[in-house]
Amino acid sequence: MCGIIGFAGREEAAPILLDGLARMEYRGYDSAGIAVRSNQWGLQAKKSRGRLERLYELTHGGKDLDGPLGIGHTRWATHGEPNDCNAHPHISEDGRIALVHNGIIENYMEIKEKLIREGVRFASETDTEVAVQLLAYYYKQCGSMLEAVGKVLHRIEGSYAFGIICADYPNALIAARKDSPLILGFGEKGNFIASDVTAILKYTRDVIYMEDGEIAVITADSIDVFDQEFTPIEKKVNKIEWDVSAAEKGGYAHFMFKEILEQPEAIRKTIAPRIRDGKIIFDNFLITPEELKNLSRIYIIACGSAYHVGAICKYTWEKLLRRPVEVCLASEFRYSDPLVDKNTLAIIISQSGETLDSMAALREAKRLGARTLAIVNVVGSSIAREADQVLYTWAGPEIAVATTKAYSTQLILMDLIGLYLGDLLNTISKEDYQIILRQIETLPEKMRACLSKLDDAQYLASRHFNHNSIFFIGRNLDYAMGLEGSLKLKEISYIHSEAYASGELKHGTISLIEPGTLVIALGTYHALFDKAMSNVVEVKARGAEVLAITTESYRERMEKIADDTISVPDVHPILQPSLGIIPLQLFAYYVALQRGCDIDKPRNLAKSVTVE
Ligand code: G6P
């Protein structure tokens, strides 16, 4: 989704802005632009539809725009089609103010009509332009930029992260935030604003997280934060621990491939700090054993792949905790009048910590009295800060839109939490606790073994990349894992694909199976392996070609029926999806590669969905 960067410094801003935008490309965008204040020329802006390369060409790598103060933006169209004109920054009619915006101004029509009646002429179809024209309107009246910004913030409704520069203020950049992330960064050659830490990681690790309702003034030497009445606020400076190289491709063709390979290390980092002397440790866990016993309901709420982690946990946690666990799509939960009370635990899973529906679901759960726990990858993100407690996944920055290592770390962290709670509740035996925990520790090594068989997935992808439709079938944990396998495939290869619970085949889906249809049969869940085999026989009888995923100990049996079989190491059933997903990720990757797709930036998708 949209990305913002701003720089107030002692060197040319434009190349820094372009570099920052390039680092946020992964978020998804359809147009981009920058505006820089030059001593000689005043405000200069360049914008362009399409990829950032065009903006590089248009500005000769930024050389055409001189000046040490500027803002930049990658846009993901909501109001108005993606074109040069609707791209940000938007400039006031008098050319003196430039503004970039993430979020949506809900009452923009009403304000626009009023401004048009006042004689203001609009250049774009966007809601954002209203903000800059309104700002110019107030600025003319009061002569103070800060005061005018304050008035705009009182007048507009909706969500925003703003970056603003004005021709009359050679040194200062203004930022404001409500319901859309924005951070402030202290650099050696100047200071920054950014919607995403990866944009500025190369320049600084010292950041301030802006809160809703805050306004900031950034110069090359200072960052001052105020509330909406302009009372100064003391802010904490946070250190970002992420490694810069983790957000760079480092010789790999795609971030997605690099991130698939990083999974063993990512899960190791997520597991290691939480296991001490053969026990799982969560310091100050938000629920005491006593409260845990009184819990009436556990909700797991998320979107996309994070929801698929929840789909697996429904099965595993109910086994471990002997308590009902409901898994909800965040977009549904928030409008479903959910049965939440103070004895409810609501767990929000989100890589970015900024997904709007997940954020809204968290607030709804809190409003209804639930205890809230966030499982988040991005430190300091909105969901992390608003939940009663946050437990971080330590996947490091994930750049590819299609998640892999964030998904895996979410899954393993949820396994650890499930096991921890099962132990507190005494719903699993000490013996099982120890067996599962020891096996969790072996997972990075076993994952490496799965990754060493890249060739199998590559070969099978080269045979199957031309299908129009691919079905995933499985039961129980295999079904839940299939949901993620199918999503991976469709989002990056654009092949239609669905995951079905095998038992449902006969209730309709089997009518879609015809000679040559590719069915990916998941048979890693031993307890239901025989049933899985029956389903394979069923689809084979209708002419399907079957690619099966199973475990090493069941490989021989599967090979007798399936056309091709990939096996993964055996591990405790609860943990098996952590391994089974690897060949599915690799298969999706290689299929997309064969089809020549833009793997890291699939069409129409965004890494972090910050609008509804
Ligand atoms: C987008 C991403 C997915 C992600 C989902 C939820 O659709 O492309 O990879 O699973 O959002 O994002 P979150 O940041 O909340 O995990």
Side-chain angles (χ1 to χ4, degrees):
M1 296 250 130
C2 306
I4 287 180
I5 176 145
F7 177 67
R10 288 176 286 279
E11 61 180 56
E12 292 300 301
I16 292 176
L17 299 176
L18 288 171
D19 179 66
L21 292 182
R23 287 166 195 279
M24 286 188 290
E25 266 193 301
Y26 76 98
R27 295 170 65 97
Y29 69 105
D30 46 46
S31 50
I34 54 174
V36 174
R37 187 194 175 281
S38 142
N39 278 334
Q40 199 177 352
W41 311 106
L43 290 188
Q44 295 176 287
K46 287 274 189 239
K47 321 195 272 187
S48 129
R49 190 207 151 121
R51 292 283 188 224
L52 262 180
E53 288 88 69
R54 274 197 64 203
L55 192 62
Y56 268 94
E57 283 162 20
L58 263 179
T59 60
H60 296 97
K63 288 196 199 87
D64 291 0
L65 307 181
D66 69 301
L69 179 73
I71 47 179
H73 191 264
T74 43
R75 173 173 189 250
W76 200 80
T78 55
H79 294 58
E81 63 173 284
N83 59 26
D84 293 2
C85 187
N86 289 332
H88 302 209
H90 288 283
I91 314 282
S92 58
E93 200 187 350
D94 62 7
R96 302 207 69 72
I97 305 172
L99 173 148
V100 288
H101 167 221
N102 284 358
I104 291 179
I105 298 170
E106 283 158 8
N107 58 342
Y108 81 103
M109 266 320 253
E110 170 209 331
I111 301 174
K112 187 168 181 173
E113 280 162 13
K114 182 179 178 297
L115 288 170
I116 288 173
R117 283 199 298 277
E118 298 281 338
V120 176
R121 276 172 306 172
F122 280 78
S124 77
E125 303 154 89
T126 62
D127 54 329
T128 299
E129 193 188 350
V130 164
V132 75
Q133 302 291 18
L134 186 64
L135 183 57
Y137 176 82
Y138 286 139
Y139 180 51
K140 253 183 229 140
Q141 286 179 349
C142 68
S144 151
M145 186 43 85
L146 265 189
E147 193 181 329
V149 168
K151 284 185 172 187
V152 169
L153 301 185
H154 276 111
R155 181 71 178 81
I156 59 174
E157 288 161 18
S159 56
Y160 52 77
F162 285 131
I164 302 163
I165 55 172
C166 173
D168 304 334
Y169 292 78
N171 306 319
L173 171 60
I174 298 176
R177 145 176 190 154
K178 179 174 167 265
D179 291 339
S180 193
L182 202 59
I183 56 170
L184 311 170
F186 294 90
E188 267 178 26
K189 292 172 181 154
N191 295 327
F192 294 86
I193 64 168
S195 53
D196 185 327
V197 70
T198 51
I200 58 173
L201 205 50
K202 181 174 157 192
Y203 306 99
T204 179
R205 283 162 181 283
D206 298 324
V207 303
I208 287 175
Y209 298 110
M210 285 186 80
E211 300 289 343
D212 283 352
E214 291 180 349
I215 302 167
V217 177
I218 299 98
T219 69
D221 307 305
S222 63
I223 294 183
D224 295 298
V225 183
F226 307 93
D227 66 13
Q228 290 214 354
E229 271 62 56
F230 293 104
T231 312
I233 302 174
E234 230 8 84
K235 296 287 290 184
K236 180 175 162 230
V237 179
N238 301 270
K239 253 257 166 309
I240 303 287
E241 303 292 345
W242 280 357
D243 178 6
V244 188
S245 66
E248 287 171 355
K249 245 190 245 170
Y252 290 91
H254 298 99
F255 276 110
M256 183 180 177
F257 188 61
K258 177 175 176 253
E259 289 161 4
I260 288 175
L261 298 184
E262 282 171 353
Q263 290 180 103
E265 186 54 14
I267 65 162
R268 193 196 60 75
K269 282 190 178 150
T270 303
I271 300 166
R274 281 136 181 167
I275 304 179
R276 256 175 266 152
D277 305 324
K279 281 221 63 88
I280 301 168
I281 310 286
F282 288 113
D283 293 326
N284 305 317
F285 197 76
L286 84 164
I287 299 183
T288 63
E290 220 24 68
E291 289 169 330
L292 188 59
K293 286 191 187 102
N294 294 328
L295 273 191
S296 57
R297 205 176 279 262
I298 298 172
Y299 277 108
I300 301 177
I301 308 163
C303 303
S305 297
Y307 169 77
H308 293 158
V309 170
I312 289 181
C313 294
K314 158 115 187 126
Y315 293 108
T316 53
W317 278 40
E318 286 189 348
K319 275 194 179 62
L320 293 168
L321 308 186
R322 309 309 302 157
R323 292 278 184 293
V325 175
E326 293 207 31
V327 188
C328 291
L329 290 164
S331 52
E332 291 293 319
F333 177 87
R334 59 186 294 199
Y335 299 120
S336 64
D337 197 5
L339 297 172
V340 170
D341 59 21
K342 64 177 179 31
N343 292 325
T344 304
L345 171 63
I347 302 178
I348 317 291
I349 308 180
S350 173
Q351 184 281 131
S352 62
E354 301 294 350
T355 303
L356 187 118
D357 281 322
S358 304
M359 183 72 207
L362 165 67
R363 287 182 178 163
E364 178 65 359
K366 275 185 97 166
R367 189 184 69 79
L368 295 169
R371 313 289 292 276
T372 56
L373 171 64
I375 306 298
V376 173
N377 192 46
V378 178
V379 173
S381 55
S382 307
I383 291 175
R385 282 177 295 137
E386 283 200 25
D388 296 326
Q389 185 173 27
V390 56
L391 294 174
Y392 286 109
T393 50
W394 298 113
E398 189 178 64
I399 308 296
V401 166
T403 176
T404 52
K405 61 174 180 171
Y407 168 87
S408 290
T409 52
Q410 287 163 352
L411 192 53
I412 199 66
L413 181 52
M414 287 296 283
D415 286 337
L416 275 183
I417 302 169
L419 200 53
Y420 172 81
L421 296 179
D423 183 44
L424 286 188
L425 277 169
N426 272 323
T427 42
I428 56 161
S429 68
K430 298 283 169 225
E431 200 191 356
D432 282 347
Y433 174 90
Q434 280 307 327
I435 291 172
I436 299 173
L437 188 54
R438 258 180 268 134
Q439 298 221 2
I440 285 178
E441 291 180 294
T442 68
L443 274 182
E445 218 30 67
K446 288 186 168 141
M447 250 187 191
R448 270 186 204 104
C450 298
L451 289 166
S452 68
K453 292 193 199 156
L454 291 174
D455 298 357
D456 293 352
Q458 193 169 15
Y459 165 69
L460 290 168
S462 72
R463 279 188 32 215
H464 292 299
F465 71 93
N466 263 333
H467 285 274
N468 291 325
S469 213
I470 297 180
F471 299 107
F472 289 71
I473 58 169
R475 288 171 184 265
N476 198 278
L477 287 172
D478 280 330
Y479 165 53
M481 179 175 84
L483 294 171
E484 176 59 8
S486 163
L487 179 67
K488 282 290 88 70
L489 183 69
K490 76 176 83 139
E491 60 185 349
I492 59 169
S493 74
Y494 315 140
I495 295 177
H496 166 253
S497 116
E498 302 296 336
Y500 296 104
S502 309
E504 278 295 290
L505 271 178
K506 289 200 218 39
H507 298 290
T509 314
I510 202 155
S511 67
L512 298 172
I513 307 292
E514 51 186 15
T517 304
L518 181 64
V519 173
I520 300 188
L522 307 170
T524 71
Y525 186 59
H526 294 175
L528 294 174
F529 184 80
D530 290 337
K531 305 241 178 249
M533 290 287 271
S534 311
N535 296 124
V536 172
V537 172
E538 233 163 51
V539 293
K540 285 284 304 169
R542 273 126 190 121
E545 207 172 325
V546 174
L547 159 55
I549 312 288
T550 187
T551 67
E552 273 151 18
S553 60
Y554 281 64
R555 183 180 180 110
E556 232 179 279
R557 288 183 62 193
M558 187 58 100
E559 272 176 338
K560 290 196 179 117
I561 304 182
D563 296 280
D564 294 288
T565 304
I566 296 183
S567 55
V568 297
D570 288 83
V571 70
H572 190 280
I574 280 180
L575 309 174
Q576 202 68 63
S578 285
L579 301 181
I581 194 62
I582 306 268
L584 301 183
Q585 294 169 339
L586 288 168
F587 181 74
Y589 173 77
Y590 284 119
V591 166
L593 194 64
Q594 289 277 349
R595 290 165 72 93
C597 299
D598 190 350
I599 293 181
D600 284 339
K601 296 184 279 275
R603 71 181 178 211
N604 306 336
L605 296 179
K607 181 72 184 159
S608 154
V609 181
T610 48
V611 293
E612 196 170 351

